[in-house]
Amino acid sequence: MADPPRVRHNSGNNRSLLLVRNRTVRLDRGIVAVGVGLKEEDLIISQSGCELTPYVLLRRPDNAVTTEDVPESAPIDGHFLRYKWYRIQSDRKVAVCSVHPSEQATLQCLGCVKAKIPVAKSYHCSPKCFSDAWQHHRVLHDRAASAVNENGNEEEELFGRFNSTGSGVINASLSGSASNSSLTNGSTPLYPAAVTRSGGETWFEVGRSKTYTPSADDIGHVLKFECVVVDAETKLPVGHPNTLLTSRVIPAPSPSPRRLFPVNGSDMNMMGHIDSDGRISSTGTFSVLSYNILSDVYATSESYSYCPSWALSWAYRRQNLLREIIGYRADIVCLQEVYNGNPHTIDGCATFFRRDRFSHVKKYEVEFNKAAQSLTDAILPSAQKKNALNRLVKDNVALIVVLEAKFSNQGADTPGKRQLLCVANTHVNVHQELKDVKLWQVHTLLKGLEKIAASADIPMLVCGDFNSVPGSAPHALLAMGKVEPVHPDLAVDPLTILRPHTKLTHQLPLVSAYSSFARIGVGLGMEHQRRRMDPTTNEPLFTHCTRDFIGTLDYIFYTADSLSVESLLELLDEDSLRKDTALPSPEWSSDHIALLAEFRCKPRARR
C-alpha cells in the first residue's frame, strides 16, 4: 500500500484560521455564508482516513455566527449548503523535493533510480539542495547496496519516473518535456461527468461532501473546495460560491521500515520478520512496544524550530504516529505523553493490548501526586508540607495492568495453568534538577510492583520514558536493584525523602531488554546494531534526539527469571536523523524513538 499523501497550504502560522477567497453571500432571508477556510493543522491529507475538513463560517437568520453544517436534509429558512471538491488536471505530474516538500523538484538522483530506491526520495529542488543533503542521502545508496529496499516500488508506481536516461548522478531540468505518459493521472475520477474548464485549467469533480480524503491520483495536483448556498425548493445556487485553493498535494515522508533482529541465539543470520498479517510470527511469544509520542501540548515551533510547522501539527503527527504504531503490530503497546485534551493532565500513559492475545485481569493507577501527599503527611511537619508538595507534585503517573495470555506457552511445565503478565507503563518527571523526585517516583513504582510480585508468581515488564540516562540513580535502581550510597545523584535530597539510602533497593530481577544487543553474536546487520549501543552501559546510544540533547531515556525492563528476549526492533542511527537536524521531523513524529521487544515466558519451577 502506498504511503498517504498530505497537502500543505500557504500559511505562516500553523494554528491560525485561513480564510481563502473569502466572500460573503447575502440573502434576503435565510443563512449567510461568511467565508471558508482551513486550519493548517487540518491540511494534512491521508489515504488512510486523515480527512481535510474546511472551516465554513455562517451567519444564521438570528445573526448568530456558527460553523455548524446545514445539510439538504435539514435546511434553514429554505436554504442549505452544497459542497464540492475539484482537482486541477494538468498535462504532467509534478514531483516535489524530498528534502523541502513544499518545493517543486528540478533534479533527480539517477543512483536512486538504478538502485530501485523509492523514487520520491530521489528528487531535489536545486543543485545546492542535493549537495547539502548528500552526506545523508548517500546512506540510502549504501543501504540499497547491502540489502533489498523493503519499500519496493510502491512510490514509483505512484509517481512514475521522470526521464532517467543519460549519465551522471543528477538528471537536471524536470520540465514538461522530460515527463512521460506515466505521470498523468490515469484513474477515472469519482464523478467523471463533472468537468469544469476555467482560464485554461481543467477541474475534475472528486468529492461532494464537506470533508475530502485524497487518493494517490491527487498527488502533484491542486485541489479546490467550493461551498455554495442552495435554495431548497429550486435546488439552484443563491449568490456566488465561496472557494478555497490548496497548494499541490505531495506524498507524506516515508521512513525506511525498522527491522526486527533475533537475539536469542537460535539463528543470528536471519533477521526477524513480520508475517503476512503484519504480526511477529514466532509461536508462543508476544511483543511489547514502548513509545513516548510527544504530547501535542509540547510540539511547538518554539521548542522545535527546526521542524516544519506542518509536521508539528497534531493532524499530521496523529496520522504519522498511527501508521508507525500500527505497522509494528505489537501485542502490547505502552504509550507516554498521551494527551486527552485536559490542560491539567498532560502527561498521561496509555496501555493497549490485543484482545485476541490477552484478556484484562486487573488495573492499578499510580498517581505520584497522591503518593506525594501521603508521604508529606507522614514524615513532614505542617510548616514544610507546602514547599515539599511544590517539589513533589509534578502530574506524573504510572499505569500497571495485569493480563492473562490466550496463547499457549510451549515448553511450560504446567500447560494448564493460567499465564499472567504484569505490565507497568510510566513517564517519570523530566526536570534534570529534580534528581530526588525522579528517584522517588521510580522507587515508589518498584515498591508497588514488589507487592504484586509477592501476591502472585507473575512475569513483569516495566516500560516507559524514565527521563534518566544510563548510570543515573533511577537507572541503577532499576537495573542493579540498588543505589550505592555514594552515588552523586543522592546529593540532591532537600526533603530527605531518600534516607536512609539503604531503603533504595528492590528484589525484582529486572534486566533491560535492549542490553541483549550487547550480548549477541555475529550475524547479518548485528554489527550495525552493536555500533548503536554504548559498550560502557549496554544501553542504546540514544532513544531521544533533539537539537539540544541526545541520549537514552526510554527502557523496557523485564524479569529475567520468567521472561527471555527473542528479538528486538532495530535502533536508528544518528546520521539518518540529523539530515532533518533532529527529532521530531517529517518522517518521525516524536522526539523519542519507539522501542519494541519480543518475549517468551520461561517455564517456572514449582513452589
Side-chain angles (χ1 to χ4, degrees), residues 52 115 119 172 177 197 217 223 230 248 252 281 314-315 323 332 352 372 406 443 517 552 595 604:
L52 181 62
V119 72
S177 61
R197 300 183 184 278
D217 293 329
L223 300 175
V230 176
R248 296 182 187 275
S281 57
W314 178 236
R323 184 171 59 246
I332 301 170
F352 305 84
K406 293 184 177 180
H443 183 254
F517 267 147
T552 294
L595 300 180
R604 304 301 300 268

Side-chain angles (χ1 to χ4, degrees), residues 14 32 57 72 93 173 203 524 592 600:
N14 70 314
V32 177
L57 196 63
E72 185 175 2
K93 294 293 288 286
S173 184
W203 294 89
L524 182 63
H592 294 251
R600 185 186 300 277

Side-chain angles (χ1 to χ4, degrees), residues 233-546:
E233 183 176 348
T234 65
K235 308 300 183 186
L236 296 176
V238 179
H240 297 285
N242 280 259
T243 60
L244 179 150
L245 290 176
T246 72
S247 58
R248 296 182 187 275
V249 179
I250 62 178
S254 55
S256 299
R258 294 170 65 184
R259 297 165 292 179
L260 286 167
F261 286 87
V263 295
N264 62 0
S266 60
D267 191 351
M268 289 302 177
N269 291 316
M270 293 296 293
M271 286 183 293
H273 63 283
I274 306 294
D275 66 16
S276 58
D277 185 41
R279 191 172 303 171
I280 299 169
S281 57
S282 301
T283 302
T285 65
F286 64 92
S287 56
V288 179
L289 175 76
S290 183
Y291 197 4
N292 181 326
I293 60 174
L294 180 59
S295 172
D296 184 43
V297 175
Y298 302 138
T300 65
S301 294
E302 290 74 22
S303 298
Y304 306 102
S305 59
Y306 50 82
C307 184
S309 60
W310 56 262
L312 288 174
S313 70
W314 178 236
Y316 175 78
R317 293 201 311 114
R318 177 185 62 225
Q319 188 63 22
N320 208 32
L321 288 165
L322 278 172
R323 184 171 59 246
E324 179 188 359
I325 293 168
I326 292 172
Y328 294 135
R329 296 306 298 269
D331 296 309
I332 301 170
V333 176
C334 296
L335 303 181
Q336 301 88 44
E337 288 195 23
V338 179
Y339 179 50
N340 65 359
N342 184 344
H344 302 293
T345 56
I346 59 178
D347 263 338
C349 295
T351 300
F352 305 84
F353 61 89
R354 289 187 176 276
R355 287 180 291 183
D356 61 335
R357 301 277 285 164
F358 293 95
S359 59
H360 175 255
V361 177
K362 200 165 186 179
K363 177 181 72 171
Y364 304 89
E365 296 179 356
V366 181
E367 295 188 31
F368 295 116
N369 285 0
K370 292 183 179 179
Q373 184 69 54
S374 299
L375 175 68
T376 55
D377 288 343
I379 68 171
L380 295 177
S382 300
Q384 298 179 19
K385 284 183 181 180
K386 183 177 180 179
N387 289 337
L389 289 174
N390 286 338
R391 186 173 184 85
L392 292 175
V393 173
K394 300 300 178 185
D395 295 323
N396 299 104
V397 296
L399 179 63
I400 303 172
V401 294
V402 177
L403 305 174
E404 180 179 353
K406 293 184 177 180
F407 53 89
S408 61
N409 183 28
Q410 292 185 346
D413 58 339
T414 53
K417 185 179 179 181
R418 298 172 69 193
Q419 179 60 68
L420 299 178
L421 177 69
C422 180
V423 182
N425 176 15
T426 190
H427 187 198
V428 172
N429 188 255
V430 67
H431 298 290
Q432 295 306 308
E433 68 274 13
L434 300 179
K435 299 182 186 299
D436 54 325
V437 178
K438 293 176 186 286
L439 183 54
W440 170 75
Q441 289 181 348
V442 172
H443 183 254
T444 300
L445 173 61
L446 290 172
K447 287 304 169 183
L449 292 173
E450 278 192 312
K451 291 180 181 178
I452 297 174
S455 63
D457 186 15
I458 182 171
M460 289 192 168
L461 294 165
V462 187
C463 310
D465 173 8
F466 293 85
N467 273 310
S468 304
V469 298
S472 64
H475 181 267
L477 181 59
L478 285 158
M480 306 301 295
K482 63 179 181 179
V483 181
E484 296 294 342
V486 294
H487 196 289
D489 285 3
L490 298 183
V492 180
D493 187 17
L495 302 177
T496 67
I497 58 175
L498 304 178
R499 298 173 190 171
H501 297 156
T502 53
K503 75 176 182 180
L504 299 175
T505 64
H506 69 86
Q507 301 303 315
L508 302 173
L510 295 179
V511 176
S512 174
Y514 270 79
S515 66
S516 300
F517 267 147
R519 301 189 294 270
I520 57 179
V522 177
L524 182 63
M526 295 301 179
E527 188 57 37
H528 289 291
Q529 293 307 303
R530 274 199 293 268
R531 285 201 291 265
R532 297 168 189 174
M533 298 288 293
D534 184 342
T536 63
T537 64
N538 287 343
E539 295 286 6
L541 287 173
F542 70 91
T543 64
H544 179 266
C545 178
T546 63

Side-chain angles (χ1 to χ4, degrees), residues 163-185:
N163 180 16
S164 59
T165 58
S167 59
V169 176
I170 298 178
N171 179 26
S173 184
L174 297 180
S175 62
S177 61
S179 61
N180 59 33
S181 59
S182 67
L183 299 179
T184 60
N185 195 309

